[in-house]
Amino acid sequence: MKSKIVWFITIIICFLLQCTILNLISIGSITPNLMLILTVSMGLMRGRKMGLWTGFFSGLLVDLFYGSLFGFYALIYMYIGFFSGYAHRIYYDDDIKVPMVLAAVGDILYNFAVYGLQFLLRGRLGLHTYLFRIILPEAAYTVFLTLIVYRVFRFINYRFMDIARKESESMWVIK
């Protein structure tokens, strides 16, 4: 129960930071995607199921406050969290390169999904402009923030969510 409360509070704090402080440090109207970093981190550290649920609730918050189509961001974040959870048993979560690569790939896929479903279907065909002015700078900025924030998420995971992690790694628990 304690780990679920800490997990929920982490999602709320990251959303508040995404909406307030990260908008203040935006460079050329490009802000890093902290909710995506949280989703990738939880998927990598805790597995597919936790990545999926983290992505769902993160995307749900984005949908509630900023989305025009309800459930769109929740679906994208869910997929990113679920697929980043595949790396849970393959890679060690103390290596910083894996979350950086997962955050970069996740951010690029996220932005292509947003472009394809919100711009391309409306007839706006400026993919070259969108790619070089929004997608790649945001991915680079998100990867840079991953260097800093991932260690905080890893500390929270091992300090406050340790009980559930030990249960999920037990060979006696069937998934």
Side-chain angles (χ1 to χ4, degrees):
M1 185 70 177
K2 176 184 166 188
S3 64
K4 289 186 191 280
I5 293 170
V6 170
W7 169 72
F8 186 72
I9 290 172
T10 305
I11 292 174
I12 298 295
I13 289 173
C14 286
F15 180 73
L16 291 175
L17 288 173
Q18 175 80 33
C19 296
T20 56
I21 294 176
L22 292 182
N23 283 335
L24 294 175
I25 62 169
S26 65
I27 299 174
S29 75
I30 303 295
T31 58
N33 198 339
L34 186 63
M35 301 303 286
L36 184 109
I37 297 171
L38 175 67
T39 302
V40 165
S41 299
M42 287 298 144
L44 179 64
M45 290 185 282
R46 316 260 308 156
R48 292 181 302 225
K49 194 176 193 181
M50 184 59 90
L52 181 127
W53 284 110
T54 304
F56 175 72
F57 286 114
S58 298
L60 197 64
L61 282 173
V62 174
D63 279 332
L64 284 173
F65 289 96
Y66 296 111
S68 59
L69 181 63
F70 191 72
F72 174 69
Y73 292 106
L75 185 66
I76 293 173
Y77 281 116
M78 269 178 41
Y79 279 129
I80 291 171
F82 182 76
F83 289 123
S84 67
Y86 275 107
H88 170 65
R89 296 202 182 259
I90 299 170
Y91 298 105
Y92 294 114
D93 57 353
D94 58 346
D95 187 19
I96 192 70
K97 293 181 292 268
V98 177
M100 286 173 51
V101 169
L102 287 174
V105 169
D107 195 62
I108 289 171
L109 291 176
Y110 166 81
N111 280 313
F112 271 120
V114 169
Y115 170 77
L117 295 173
Q118 290 191 351
F119 292 107
L120 189 63
L121 291 178
R122 292 183 184 169
R124 298 179 186 165
L125 301 174
L127 177 64
H128 185 269
T129 305
Y130 193 76
L131 178 69
F132 288 109
R133 291 198 179 175
I134 294 177
I135 294 176
L136 293 179
E138 183 179 320
Y141 205 9
T142 300
V143 167
F144 176 71
L145 188 67
T146 304
L147 282 169
I148 301 164
V149 176
Y150 180 74
R151 298 183 201 289
V152 175
F153 292 151
R154 189 171 178 274
F155 174 76
I156 290 170
N157 184 42
Y158 282 100
R159 178 78 172 136
F160 299 111
M161 296 191 230
D162 204 17
I163 295 167
R165 182 182 55 83
K166 286 181 182 174
E167 289 175 359
S168 68
E169 291 177 357
S170 173
M171 64 182 219
W172 301 106
V173 177
I174 299 172
K175 288 188 177 183

